[in-house]
Amino acid sequence: MNKPLSFYRSYFLSKTMSFLRRRNSTDSSKTRIADPNIEKDGADDDDKKKDQYKIPQRRNSGSKKWSCWDNCCWFIGFICSIWWFCLFLYNTMPDSVPQFVTMAITGPLPDPPGVKLRKEGLTANHPVVLVPGVVTGGLELWEGRHCAEGLLGKRLWGGSFGEFYKRPLCWLEHISLDNDTGFDPPGIRVRPVTGLVAADYFATGYFVWAVVIANLAHIGYEEKSLYMAAYDWRLSFQNTEIRDQSLTRIKSNIELLVATHGGKKVVVLPHSMGVQYFLHFMKWVETPAPRGGGGGPDWCAKHIKAIMNIGAPFLGSPKSIALHFSIEVRDIAALRAQAPGLLDKDVLGLQTFKHLMRMFRTWDATFSMIPKGGETIWGGLDWSPETETVNNSAKKGTDNSTRNTGGNGNICDTKGVNYGRLISFSKDWAETHSSKIERVDFKHVAKGDKLTNSSNCDIWLEYHEMGNRAIKAVADHKVYTAGSILDLLHYVAPKLMARGASHFSYGIADDLDDPKYDQYKYWSNPLETKLPNAPDMEIYSLYGVGLPTERGYIYKVAPPSDCSIPFQIDTSVDGDSEDSCLRGGVFSGDGDETVPIISTGFMCAKGWRGKTRFNPSGIRTYNREYKHAPPANLLEGRGTQSGSHVDLLGNFALIEDVLRVAAGATGEDIGGDRVYSDIFKWSERINIKL
């Protein structure tokens, strides 16, 4: 029987109202706000009940306080969101957009050197060899422990450094060398990355050789005319040949480049520690086999047109002293002062400072950076080549004073500064005349009372074998020059220095014809070896100036604690004037932020200039300085006029010099010496037999 439509409408409404009453009844039983006197039937009662339920909720939410934690979370989230959004835009927008924005702000950009010189008609000519420095070359894993599973063939050093964050202790175990042998520990094989990618970028977005390679490509170079002489920069120079035959590979590749380019000689571009490595190579390649490469006494003359040394630490760097002594440099010491204890804490099982020191001290190549030439080069207790000292203390009872004689705009005030004192234990001892200083002979103080039981320490350093008496004796010696710094390092780390002394030397040869200088430990020291017999070859020293560069340190004894490094840079010490060269316990001189000018410039300014006993064939030498200028804006990145140690590889003026020489120009063609500092005046103050 068909029922009217009104019947179904009434039936549906009754069922709906019944369902709503049951639902509201259930909700009201779950809240304490419901009033038991309110009737539960009727739409009006339901509305009242809903109103009573909602009002308290609005009050509670409005009364909630905004905490500091909420602010921090929202701020971090906002910054991260902006960062990822910008990163997304950067990776998705066309390459022309950032260039257009830059041009809109700064005006038309100058042509890169390669583009500019190509327009002038310069083309690829001599093959080019690139020699990277310390830490800039990539290292990859070929065999590892269980903790390194899945990393075979992947980079441990360079790139993203992702494995350091994922498994730091495992990473440190594999990147460190064996303390006894100087090679990889048993069961581990880490080898250098090969090819141009070995050192084009140090980390993602941080160029090393990439800008130089790109500009060489602009004038016609390609991989067959370029060679990256990659090597394991952790090993001592001779050990790279023993383990990897790296020196033999360099010799073979240079011979191949010369043969495939119609006999044209190579232009070699070593950077940083690569400069010392190539000095070692030149002596090795002409030394008869089996001790050397057996290339004969004229190998360099036949195969090398020019060596353009970039940021060359020919005579070492004071930074190396601080790193070996306390694993500190200026920036690390400043960070330690801002966040006391942070770098000494055990974070995720990684005791930062002690692990870093243990790792660094296994890298034998770092010994090559210890200052060479002693007080003759670096200055003594009362003099240094960079400052002209007026000694009034003996007559008037006052401290000596110094005045800056630099010709580069006086980067800082050297009043009261004596760069010859590389380490001083207090500002007073750094300034007091030597006649008023009484020093303890620390070398004969026994190390009987150990600071701690080695079983209490996860990381065993030789400092743990020193007692309080030995630490006090080191501090009571008060000041250390380049003549006594080796004694200091031998005392605090005898095992370390015994290994280093077997591979490197730091003196000045009396007689270069003495057969002892045929040993490989002398080959990387330009003051203890001769340049090859290659009168047509040219040697350049290309380096930055105008940047504060570490030249000496003021130390203090750290508070005693188990497993600690007992010495720290005293960051509380500053000079007397606002522009003093003493800031945060560090004396600064002129240089490229890493290597002082006296180290980069002396050999080409005086030691090798003309025919000397170090340069018997009279190879022509040139000093080319690049005065630092910071980037004009953030869009310039690290700048095109930087004089900084690594950023110098992106300096347009330096790259133009390199390209012109590679295209066939001589040192005279590009203008000879170009000097802003007083390197020639400072060199004349160094009294050395030539």
Side-chain angles (χ1 to χ4, degrees):
M1 180 177 179
N2 293 331
K3 295 183 180 181
L5 182 61
S6 59
F7 171 82
Y8 290 106
R9 185 183 298 114
S10 301
Y11 178 80
F12 175 75
L13 289 174
S14 65
K15 289 295 185 182
T16 301
M17 293 302 297
S18 176
F19 170 75
L20 291 174
R21 281 195 294 271
R22 286 197 303 272
R23 181 180 177 185
N24 290 334
S25 176
T26 302
D27 292 343
S28 63
S29 66
K30 295 180 180 180
T31 178
R32 299 178 182 179
I33 303 170
D35 189 345
N37 297 323
I38 297 178
E39 294 181 1
K40 297 181 181 180
D41 53 345
D44 293 339
D45 295 338
D46 292 337
D47 292 339
K48 291 179 182 178
K49 199 160 39 176
K50 290 176 183 177
D51 291 341
Q52 287 182 346
Y53 181 81
K54 291 179 180 176
I55 292 172
Q57 284 295 99
R58 281 198 292 273
R59 287 175 183 167
N60 287 340
S61 117
S63 63
K64 183 179 178 181
K65 293 183 179 179
W66 193 257
S67 67
C68 180
W69 178 252
D70 293 325
N71 289 330
C72 291
C73 290
W74 274 100
F75 178 74
I76 294 172
F78 175 76
I79 295 297
C80 290
S81 299
I82 295 296
W83 168 255
W84 285 111
F85 179 70
C86 292
L87 194 63
F88 171 77
L89 289 179
Y90 179 79
N91 285 283
T92 55
M93 70 175 60
D95 292 339
S96 59
V97 174
Q99 184 177 359
F100 174 79
V101 173
T102 304
M103 291 177 63
I105 296 175
T106 64
L109 296 174
D111 285 334
V115 175
K116 171 188 172 184
L117 297 181
R118 183 180 60 194
K119 292 177 180 178
E120 294 180 11
L122 265 71
T123 58
N125 189 0
H126 293 272
V128 174
V129 177
L130 312 175
V131 187
V134 66
V135 311
T136 55
L139 300 173
E140 57 191 13
L141 184 69
W142 285 95
E143 182 184 2
R145 305 276 167 79
H146 180 72
C147 66
E149 187 176 353
L151 298 182
L152 182 65
K154 294 183 179 180
R155 287 200 183 197
L156 284 186
W157 187 273
S160 65
F161 286 90
E163 298 309 319
F164 170 75
Y165 303 108
K166 294 176 183 177
R167 29 190 156 183
L169 291 180
C170 182
W171 181 85
L172 282 167
E173 180 182 9
H174 285 74
I175 210 70
S176 300
L177 297 173
D178 187 279
N179 265 319
D180 296 322
T181 65
F183 294 105
D184 289 315
I188 293 175
R189 281 187 294 140
V190 176
R191 298 294 181 264
V193 177
T194 58
L196 295 179
V197 297
D200 55 350
Y201 288 90
F202 171 65
T204 305
Y206 191 91
F207 72 81
V208 182
W209 288 101
V211 179
V212 174
I213 293 171
N215 280 278
L216 285 166
H218 282 311
I219 64 170
Y221 281 89
E222 50 189 282
E223 195 157 10
K224 68 181 182 182
S225 52
L226 296 173
Y227 169 59
M228 181 71 75
Y231 61 98
D232 191 335
W233 44 262
R234 302 172 302 160
L235 302 178
S236 69
F237 300 160
Q238 192 65 15
N239 279 350
T240 64
E241 172 64 17
I242 293 172
R243 194 194 72 179
D244 301 332
Q245 296 76 53
S246 294
L247 299 175
T248 298
R249 294 173 191 275
I250 294 174
K251 175 176 180 284
S252 299
N253 277 282
I254 289 177
E255 290 172 346
L256 178 63
L257 286 171
V258 173
T260 56
H261 286 77
K264 294 178 181 178
K265 302 176 187 179
V266 300
V267 173
V268 185
L269 307 180
H271 174 247
S272 190
M273 192 185 75
V275 170
Q276 297 182 348
Y277 187 69
F278 199 76
L279 281 176
H280 182 98
F281 168 80
M282 286 196 296
K283 194 68 177 178
W284 171 87
V285 75
E286 295 190 345
T287 299
R291 289 189 305 109
D298 58 351
W299 190 94
C300 291
K302 290 180 178 178
H303 294 88
I304 302 175
K305 173 191 185 294
I307 306 171
M308 306 190 76
N309 302 286
I310 303 172
F314 286 118
L315 304 176
S317 173
K319 262 190 175 181
S320 178
I321 298 171
L323 286 168
H324 281 100
F325 191 51
S326 65
I327 202 66
E328 290 179 294
V329 288
R330 175 172 51 205
D331 295 336
I332 294 177
L335 176 60
R336 196 177 202 174
Q338 293 295 325
L342 175 63
L343 297 178
D344 297 295
K345 291 183 182 296
D346 187 344
V347 180
L348 301 177
L350 181 64
Q351 291 172 306
T352 314
F353 258 57
K354 287 168 278 297
H355 277 89
L356 286 176
M357 175 167 274
R358 184 187 69 169
M359 177 185 71
F360 182 79
R361 285 185 167 188
T362 67
W363 297 346
D364 287 353
T366 60
F367 294 113
S368 69
M369 303 292 285
I370 293 175
K372 302 174 177 66
E375 294 185 4
T376 301
I377 299 294
W378 296 93
L381 289 173
D382 296 314
W383 81 281
S384 64
E386 299 100 320
T387 54
E388 187 175 12
T389 304
V390 182
N391 182 7
N392 297 320
S393 58
K395 297 180 180 180
K396 301 181 181 180
T398 58
D399 290 343
N400 63 300
S401 61
T402 59
R403 59 183 177 87
N404 194 312
T405 57
N408 63 344
N410 296 354
I411 62 169
C412 59
D413 179 11
T414 61
K415 183 178 181 181
V417 172
N418 182 2
Y419 291 129
R421 304 183 186 192
L422 297 180
I423 287 181
S424 304
F425 278 89
S426 84
K427 182 182 177 182
D428 289 340
W429 298 129
E431 297 177 346
T432 303
H433 189 266
S434 60
S435 62
K436 298 184 178 182
I437 301 177
E438 295 182 5
R439 297 191 288 171
V440 172
D441 185 2
F442 61 90
K443 291 180 288 186
H444 302 295
V445 176
K447 300 181 181 180
D449 53 331
K450 292 186 179 181
L451 288 175
T452 183
N453 190 327
S454 61
S455 62
N456 296 332
C457 301
D458 294 332
I459 298 301
W460 176 253
L461 299 172
E462 291 187 72
Y463 277 133
H464 303 148
E465 297 181 348
M466 294 183 67
N468 291 316
R469 281 191 307 162
I471 291 173
K472 184 177 184 300
V474 168
D476 287 345
H477 194 70
K478 299 180 179 63
V479 291
Y480 295 86
T481 66
S484 56
I485 206 72
L486 290 174
D487 293 333
L488 171 64
L489 293 176
H490 274 285
Y491 182 71
V492 301
K495 298 175 185 175
L496 168 85
M497 291 303 294
R499 199 174 71 246
S502 66
H503 291 284
F504 301 101
S505 181
Y506 311 100
I508 301 175
D510 293 323
D511 180 9
L512 287 168
D513 294 323
D514 190 325
K516 80 172 187 177
Y517 293 110
D518 292 333
Q519 299 177 30
Y520 63 77
K521 65 180 287 183
Y522 301 102
W523 292 350
S524 61
N525 182 356
L527 300 175
E528 293 182 308
T529 191
K530 299 177 185 178
L531 289 176
N533 183 19
D536 294 331
M537 192 168 75
E538 295 180 326
I539 294 181
Y540 300 76
S541 186
L542 316 176
Y543 53 93
V545 298
L547 286 167
T549 304
E550 292 166 52
R551 188 64 171 81
Y553 304 90
I554 292 181
Y555 269 86
K556 65 180 180 180
V557 176
S561 64
D562 286 349
C563 311
S564 68
I565 299 171
F567 306 107
Q568 294 178 5
I569 294 175
D570 190 352
T571 55
S572 66
V573 178
D574 291 323
D576 296 330
S577 62
E578 290 185 2
D579 59 345
S580 172
C581 291
L582 174 58
R583 284 289 170 193
V586 179
F587 289 103
S588 296
D590 196 0
D592 65 4
E593 283 188 317
T594 298
V595 187
I597 291 176
I598 204 67
S599 179
T600 54
F602 172 76
M603 291 308 300
C604 284
K606 183 175 180 179
W608 290 332
R609 184 61 60 112
K611 284 190 177 183
T612 70
R613 65 191 185 106
F614 304 112
N615 180 16
S617 66
I619 296 172
R620 293 182 299 280
T621 62
Y622 301 96
N623 287 63
R624 302 279 292 178
E625 295 183 348
Y626 304 89
K627 195 169 184 179
H628 174 75
N633 54 66
L634 291 175
L635 296 176
E636 267 195 33
R638 288 152 61 192
T640 59
Q641 301 179 65
S642 176
S644 182
H645 188 65
V646 177
D647 296 352
L648 190 62
L649 291 169
N651 185 297
F652 278 11
L654 179 143
I655 294 173
E656 182 173 335
D657 287 346
V658 166
L659 266 57
R660 289 188 182 279
V661 172
T666 66
E668 294 301 324
D669 293 335
I670 65 173
D673 294 319
R674 183 180 62 196
V675 173
Y676 300 100
S677 73
D678 275 340
I679 180 59
F680 288 105
K681 183 185 296 184
W682 298 341
S683 297
E684 287 305 312
R685 292 180 186 154
I686 294 175
N687 185 16
I688 188 172
K689 183 176 71 172
L690 298 176

